[in-house]
Short mmCIF file of all heavy atoms in Angstrom, two decimals:
data_model
loop_
_atom_site.label_atom_id
_atom_site.label_comp_id
_atom_site.label_asym_id
_atom_site.label_seq_id
_atom_site.Cartn_x
_atom_site.Cartn_y
_atom_site.Cartn_z
N ASN A 10 -74.50 35.01 -103.17
CA ASN A 10 -73.91 36.36 -103.30
C ASN A 10 -72.47 36.37 -102.84
O ASN A 10 -72.13 35.72 -101.85
CB ASN A 10 -74.66 37.37 -102.41
CG ASN A 10 -76.08 37.62 -102.87
OD1 ASN A 10 -76.38 37.53 -104.06
ND2 ASN A 10 -76.95 37.95 -101.94
N ASP A 12 -70.27 38.48 -100.88
CA ASP A 12 -70.46 39.57 -99.91
C ASP A 12 -69.20 40.40 -99.79
O ASP A 12 -68.14 39.89 -99.38
CB ASP A 12 -70.81 39.00 -98.53
CG ASP A 12 -72.21 38.41 -98.48
OD1 ASP A 12 -72.98 38.58 -99.44
OD2 ASP A 12 -72.53 37.78 -97.44
N GLY A 37 -71.77 34.34 -99.47
CA GLY A 37 -73.02 34.60 -98.76
C GLY A 37 -74.21 34.45 -99.68
O GLY A 37 -74.18 33.69 -100.65
N GLY A 38 -75.23 35.23 -99.39
CA GLY A 38 -76.53 35.07 -100.07
C GLY A 38 -77.41 34.28 -99.13
O GLY A 38 -76.98 33.24 -98.61
N LYS A 39 -78.61 34.78 -98.88
CA LYS A 39 -79.47 34.09 -97.92
C LYS A 39 -79.66 32.63 -98.29
O LYS A 39 -79.67 31.75 -97.43
CB LYS A 39 -80.83 34.78 -97.84
CG LYS A 39 -80.73 36.14 -97.19
CD LYS A 39 -82.07 36.79 -96.99
CE LYS A 39 -81.91 38.28 -96.78
NZ LYS A 39 -80.91 38.66 -95.78
N ASN A 42 -76.36 30.64 -97.60
CA ASN A 42 -76.13 30.57 -96.14
C ASN A 42 -77.04 29.51 -95.52
O ASN A 42 -76.62 28.71 -94.67
CB ASN A 42 -76.43 31.91 -95.48
CG ASN A 42 -75.53 33.03 -95.97
OD1 ASN A 42 -74.46 32.78 -96.51
ND2 ASN A 42 -75.95 34.27 -95.78
N ALA A 91 -73.31 41.45 -102.69
CA ALA A 91 -73.86 42.33 -101.66
C ALA A 91 -72.76 43.25 -101.17
O ALA A 91 -71.60 42.85 -101.09
CB ALA A 91 -74.41 41.50 -100.50
N ILE A 93 -71.88 45.14 -97.87
CA ILE A 93 -72.34 45.08 -96.46
C ILE A 93 -71.46 45.98 -95.59
O ILE A 93 -70.23 45.89 -95.63
CB ILE A 93 -72.27 43.62 -95.93
CG1 ILE A 93 -73.11 42.71 -96.85
CG2 ILE A 93 -72.75 43.55 -94.49
CD1 ILE A 93 -73.15 41.25 -96.41
N ILE A 103 -77.26 46.17 -95.73
CA ILE A 103 -76.90 45.38 -96.91
C ILE A 103 -77.52 45.97 -98.17
O ILE A 103 -78.72 46.26 -98.21
CB ILE A 103 -77.39 43.92 -96.74
CG1 ILE A 103 -76.79 43.30 -95.47
CG2 ILE A 103 -77.04 43.09 -97.97
CD1 ILE A 103 -77.20 41.85 -95.20
N LEU A 105 -78.03 44.98 -102.16
CA LEU A 105 -77.99 43.76 -102.98
C LEU A 105 -77.93 44.07 -104.47
O LEU A 105 -78.63 44.96 -104.95
CB LEU A 105 -79.28 42.97 -102.78
CG LEU A 105 -79.42 42.07 -101.57
CD1 LEU A 105 -80.77 41.40 -101.61
CD2 LEU A 105 -78.30 41.03 -101.52
N GLU A 136 -84.66 36.27 -102.71
CA GLU A 136 -83.52 36.88 -103.41
C GLU A 136 -83.32 36.23 -104.78
O GLU A 136 -82.25 36.35 -105.37
CB GLU A 136 -82.24 36.76 -102.57
CG GLU A 136 -82.23 37.72 -101.38
CD GLU A 136 -80.91 37.75 -100.62
OE1 GLU A 136 -80.03 36.91 -100.88
OE2 GLU A 136 -80.79 38.62 -99.74
N THR A 239 -74.29 39.24 -89.63
CA THR A 239 -74.69 38.74 -90.95
C THR A 239 -74.87 37.22 -90.89
O THR A 239 -74.01 36.52 -90.37
CB THR A 239 -73.61 39.08 -92.01
OG1 THR A 239 -73.24 40.44 -91.85
CG2 THR A 239 -74.13 38.84 -93.42
N ALA A 240 -75.98 36.75 -91.44
CA ALA A 240 -76.27 35.31 -91.53
C ALA A 240 -76.71 34.67 -90.21
O ALA A 240 -76.88 33.45 -90.14
CB ALA A 240 -75.11 34.51 -92.13
N ASP A 243 -80.02 33.35 -91.02
CA ASP A 243 -79.92 32.21 -91.96
C ASP A 243 -79.46 30.95 -91.22
O ASP A 243 -79.91 29.84 -91.53
CB ASP A 243 -78.92 32.54 -93.08
CG ASP A 243 -79.34 33.77 -93.87
OD1 ASP A 243 -80.56 34.02 -93.96
OD2 ASP A 243 -78.46 34.48 -94.40
N ALA A 279 -70.52 35.57 -93.68
CA ALA A 279 -71.78 34.82 -93.69
C ALA A 279 -71.46 33.32 -93.64
O ALA A 279 -71.44 32.71 -92.57
CB ALA A 279 -72.60 35.20 -94.91
O1 LIG B 1 -78.75 37.17 -94.66
C1 LIG B 1 -77.45 37.61 -94.95
C2 LIG B 1 -77.23 37.65 -96.43
O2 LIG B 1 -78.09 38.61 -96.99
C3 LIG B 1 -75.83 38.06 -96.85
O3 LIG B 1 -74.96 36.96 -96.96
C4 LIG B 1 -76.08 38.80 -98.16
O4 LIG B 1 -75.54 38.18 -99.27
C5 LIG B 1 -77.60 38.94 -98.26
O5 LIG B 1 -78.13 38.02 -99.12
#
Side-chain angles (χ1 to χ4, degrees):
N10 293 330
D12 289 351
K39 291 186 199 311
N42 297 341
I93 304 181
I103 302 180
L105 278 181
E136 287 187 351
T239 314
D243 300 332

